[in-house]
Amino acid sequence: MAQERVAIVTGGNRGIGLEVCRQLARNDMVVILTSRNKEAGQKAAHDLQKEELPVVSHQLDVVHPASIEQLVMFVKKEYGRCDILINNAGILPDTTEGSAGGEFPSVFKAKSETITRAMTTNVYGSLHMCQAFVPMMKKNGYGRIVNISSGMGQLSDMNGGYPAYRLSKTALNALTRILAEELSGENILVNTMCPGWVKTRMGGENATRSVEEGADTAVFLSTLPDNGPSGKFFRDRKEILW
Ligand code: NAP
């Protein structure tokens, strides 16, 4: 029997990440639901286990290299493989730090510390996770990496406001292309995607999409066939402009 695929999801304790964990597990993958708060991850994994889904939790803060290293050791010891990596963990710090009292987060008020925070989680976190887990994928000649980006990082539709978030997601898209290029011919497909405006703590309650809809394209990209696309930007399972 073929071995089950092992998938790692960052920021899996809530929102889109939690739903990606559920959908991947329903697709017969062993899912490692990671969360920066250990208890929150355990609780989320427990809820999925009650649905009889093959999900385990592990602590992971993507901004701390030591935390990533501990996850690498756990995955090597328990599974010896990593087939799918979903870089979902993300922050939108502009609204909380960049401007006071709900003011429009203008680029003219942006603090460099706020931009650095967005870059550290949204870009360097994803980069360091790829650096940590691609060697295992190379060993097995198989990998699917999905970076959860945003239309707010789309250059062809760039608007004002939220500069920290926008810059970080545009950089994440660039990182996707660099990775895809360096991994071409290795059967490790790297893509980036926009989930749309999704009802989560980040998206807020006025958002138009459910987490199920937000997670769908991530699962689609996680299960691409060997000749599937790499280095592309997707929404609703379709390629979109950068
Ligand atoms: P969310 O509900 O705010 O969840 C964000 C997740 O990221 C949480 O699990 C959070 O953990 C985790 N996280 C943040 N910093 C982390 C770190 N340093 N290490 C590990 N985990 C960390 O947001 P969401 O809407 O589900 O967003 C998921 C992804 O979709 C993000 O990358 C976001 O930018 C993207 N996205 C969302 C929307 C939308 O409308 N919702 C639209 C476009 C793109 P804690 O629980 O510990 O905070």
Side-chain angles (χ1 to χ4, degrees), residues 11 13-16 36 60-63 88-91 121 148-150 165 169 195-198 200-203:
N13 55 299
R14 62 184 167 96
I16 296 168
R36 62 178 159 179
L60 173 71
D61 188 329
V62 298
V63 308
N88 165 78
I91 58 168
T121 302
I148 311 285
S149 181
S150 166
Y165 188 72
K169 293 298 190 181
W197 187 23
V198 181
T200 61
R201 205 175 296 171
M202 183 185 290

Side-chain angles (χ1 to χ4, degrees), residues 57-136:
S57 65
H58 199 278
Q59 197 276 338
L60 173 71
D61 188 329
V62 298
V63 308
H64 294 307
S67 177
I68 295 179
E69 192 44 44
Q70 281 181 5
L71 180 68
V72 169
M73 288 190 310
F74 169 78
V75 174
K76 272 191 184 153
K77 182 166 171 278
E78 296 297 324
Y79 305 98
R81 61 191 293 140
C82 166
D83 303 293
I84 292 149
L85 169 62
I86 314 286
N87 286 312
N88 165 78
I91 58 168
L92 195 170
D94 301 82
T95 42
T96 45
E97 294 172 9
S99 55
E103 250 176 79
F104 179 70
S106 161
V107 71
F108 293 106
K109 291 181 183 154
K111 296 179 189 150
S112 50
E113 306 87 82
T114 308
I115 299 171
T116 301
R117 262 193 12 99
M119 295 296 283
T120 304
T121 302
N122 300 353
V123 187
Y124 308 151
S126 303
L127 167 66
H128 294 147
M129 284 297 289
C130 292
Q131 289 173 335
F133 287 98
V134 162
M136 269 186 250

